[in-house]
Amino acid sequence: MGTFITVDIGGTQIRAAAYPENERQALAIRKTSTRAGSEATFDRMVGLIRSVYPADRSVLSITVAAPGPVDPYSGVIAAAPNIPGWMNFPLRDRLEDEFHVPAHLGNDANLAALGEWRFGAGQGHAHLLYLTVSTGIGGGVITDNQLLLGARGLAAELGHVTVLPDGPQCGCGQRGHLEAVAAGPAIAGYVRDQMAQGANSILQGVSDLSARAVSQAARQGDDLAIKALARAGEFIGMALADFLVVFNPSIVIFGGGVSTSGELLFAPLRESLRMHVMEPAYVHDLVITTAALGDDAGLLGALALAHTMQQRVSV
Ligand SMILES: [Zn+2]
């Protein structure tokens, strides 16, 4: 019986897990912090992988979910936002040199989509769209039971479509992208701006205002907080109307902290979707739901990729 090892590189921590072949219950999960110099991070990742490495079983592969632009074909991380030294870092080759087993690499939102399709809320759906809304907005698309990667592995950056020309600057440097008007920092920023212009809110005087605080205030009936979430929902619904006519999924799955805001976000989102979508056939029987895998989305998404790659090898 073989073992799959998966690694999830997050903003604050790196986690590694070992899964027996054909199971989704981990034998072991360990973690370490993300931030440090380039070699230090790689060395700690190697140590972390060794700490879950099974003594009595063979390892079939090591699969890594990483944030930001990665090339799943060459296994190179183009840039890791939280690891400054990792520019064009050949992670796959470095891991294969170290462990002498096949290694795979994927974008974390893409792999979360694959994980939800294989193990989570999207099981049984051949056409699936995944959006994660937290500090940024990421996406993944499954079409005909295949993860959409694109020519250079850069497909499905669904947070970086323009919804407000000349709008605020996005984390990627462009203006008016969905992420710049509807991710967590944009929701908090909208509330801050409105309060600076004299709007009333129970959030007045709160330092380090977060989307989570806005969501809590909205649940307590704060008008400005409700308006901020509704505004984000409207922009997401507008973009989703575009995604539906391009990909025609049967399910849309929302992950990330902001999507836990419930109907305060989703009611305006669905209304906006209805307003903007080309025709009702796209929303007929469409399932809109939240992610099922929670904190383990990256690890289980990487496991889903490991299974897919293993099947290719054995065919
Ligand atoms: Zn952008």
Side-chain angles (χ1 to χ4, degrees):
M1 169 93 72
T3 305
F4 292 111
I5 289 185
T6 72
V7 180
D8 180 26
I9 303 176
T12 54
Q13 60 186 29
I14 301 173
R15 300 165 78 214
Y19 295 93
E21 203 174 351
N22 304 323
E23 283 182 41
R24 57 167 284 192
Q25 205 62 44
L27 293 164
I29 299 183
R30 302 264 188 279
K31 61 187 177 187
T32 183
S33 78
T34 304
R35 284 169 188 274
S38 63
E39 284 309 307
T41 304
F42 181 73
D43 288 347
R44 276 179 303 117
M45 184 190 286
V46 167
L48 188 70
I49 291 169
R50 291 202 192 288
S51 75
V52 299
Y53 222 82
D56 53 347
R57 297 158 175 260
S58 64
V59 170
L60 299 166
S61 64
I62 299 170
T63 308
V64 180
V70 307
D71 185 335
Y73 302 116
S74 65
V76 171
I77 293 187
N82 295 296
I83 310 171
W86 282 20
M87 294 290 286
N88 296 317
F89 190 73
L91 183 63
R92 184 186 68 192
D93 289 353
R94 293 289 301 270
L95 286 173
E96 290 187 344
D97 288 349
E98 190 75 35
F99 291 98
H100 308 289
V101 298
H104 313 294
L105 176 65
N107 168 274
D108 54 2
N110 276 344
L111 293 192
L114 199 63
E116 291 291 339
W117 168 78
R118 180 81 166 74
F119 303 115
Q123 290 178 67
H125 287 267
H127 302 273
L128 174 157
L129 197 140
Y130 172 84
L131 267 178
T132 174
V133 187
S134 55
T135 51
I137 295 184
V141 174
I142 306 281
T143 186
D144 216 2
N145 289 313
Q146 297 274 335
L147 180 65
L148 181 74
L149 290 175
R152 304 199 59 192
L154 299 172
E157 282 290 357
L158 304 180
H160 301 276
V161 295
T162 306
V163 291
L164 190 64
D166 304 321
Q169 192 170 33
C170 185
C172 73
Q174 300 288 3
R175 289 203 166 274
H177 284 176
L178 179 62
E179 176 173 302
V181 294
I187 293 169
Y190 175 79
V191 169
R192 254 194 319 269
D193 288 350
Q194 293 296 304
M195 288 191 305
Q197 289 170 38
N200 271 327
S201 169
I202 58 173
L203 293 165
Q204 212 95 43
V206 173
S207 58
D208 281 343
L209 188 60
S210 65
R212 182 192 293 259
V214 175
S215 188
Q216 277 166 1
R219 275 193 213 103
Q220 291 166 41
D222 185 78
D223 284 341
L224 179 58
I226 290 169
K227 198 172 157 195
L229 283 176
R231 181 174 176 273
E234 284 161 16
F235 279 121
I236 296 169
M238 186 192 294
L240 187 54
D242 293 352
F243 302 152
L244 293 190
V245 297
V246 178
F247 301 112
N248 188 20
S250 57
I251 186 168
V252 178
I253 301 173
F254 282 91
V258 174
S259 59
T260 61
S261 303
E263 283 306 293
L264 291 161
L265 180 79
F266 285 103
L269 190 159
R270 281 194 301 267
E271 180 55 31
S272 167
L273 176 58
R274 271 192 294 274
M275 270 174 56
H276 291 101
V277 77
M278 177 192 169
E279 65 156 290
Y282 289 100
V283 288
H284 188 69
D285 290 339
L286 176 71
V287 179
I288 297 180
T289 190
T290 49
L293 301 182
D295 290 344
D296 289 342
L299 292 174
L300 287 170
L303 180 64
L305 177 62
H307 284 179
T308 305
M309 300 305 283
Q310 191 71 16
Q311 280 159 7
R312 276 182 207 164
V313 171
S314 45
V315 164

